[in-house]
Amino acid sequence: MINNGVISIGDNNKITINNELNYELLVHELEILKRNSSDENVYIALLAAKSKNKNKFISAIKKLSEKTIDVIEKLGLNVLTEVIKNYLFK
């Protein structure tokens, strides 16, 4: 019997969090950002992403200036935008 016309399929309360970083895409976007920003932390983040050092990468991302974050948004660097949302605004 369907009550009130609502059918529930699956587990709607399950939240999946994926903490894996796609370093290949991050390196690509960081190289674009490096060409458009003079923020030293972009270079540090790029080196960390190339070596797949998550702790160093996150540390560098947390030190990006507001101006650099604005450039990321203007350039449409979606992977970096998501990383910033996930790690800066927790």
Side-chain angles (χ1 to χ4, degrees):
M1 183 172 170
I2 300 173
N3 189 11
N4 295 328
V6 176
I7 300 173
S8 179
I9 300 172
D11 185 0
N12 295 327
N13 295 322
K14 184 177 180 180
I15 299 172
T16 304
I17 299 173
N18 184 359
N19 287 328
E20 293 300 315
L21 296 173
N22 186 333
Y23 290 105
E24 186 177 310
L25 290 175
L26 285 170
V27 167
H28 175 71
E29 288 193 359
L30 285 165
E31 287 174 344
I32 293 169
L33 181 60
K34 188 177 137 212
R35 290 188 294 254
N36 293 282
S37 173
S38 59
D39 191 336
E40 181 182 330
N41 292 303
V42 173
Y43 180 71
I44 295 168
L46 178 59
L47 292 178
K50 284 182 177 180
S51 65
K52 297 182 180 181
N53 185 334
K54 184 176 181 177
N55 291 333
K56 191 172 182 180
F57 172 76
I58 298 303
S59 177
I61 289 296
K62 288 182 177 181
K63 295 177 185 175
L64 292 177
S65 69
E66 260 186 61
K67 182 179 176 182
T68 302
I69 293 172
D70 288 341
V71 171
I72 290 169
E73 291 175 359
K74 287 179 183 174
L75 291 173
L77 303 174
N78 296 327
V79 176
L80 281 173
T81 301
E82 286 302 312
V83 168
I84 289 169
K85 285 179 186 176
N86 289 333
Y87 289 98
L88 262 56
F89 302 111
K90 276 188 171 182

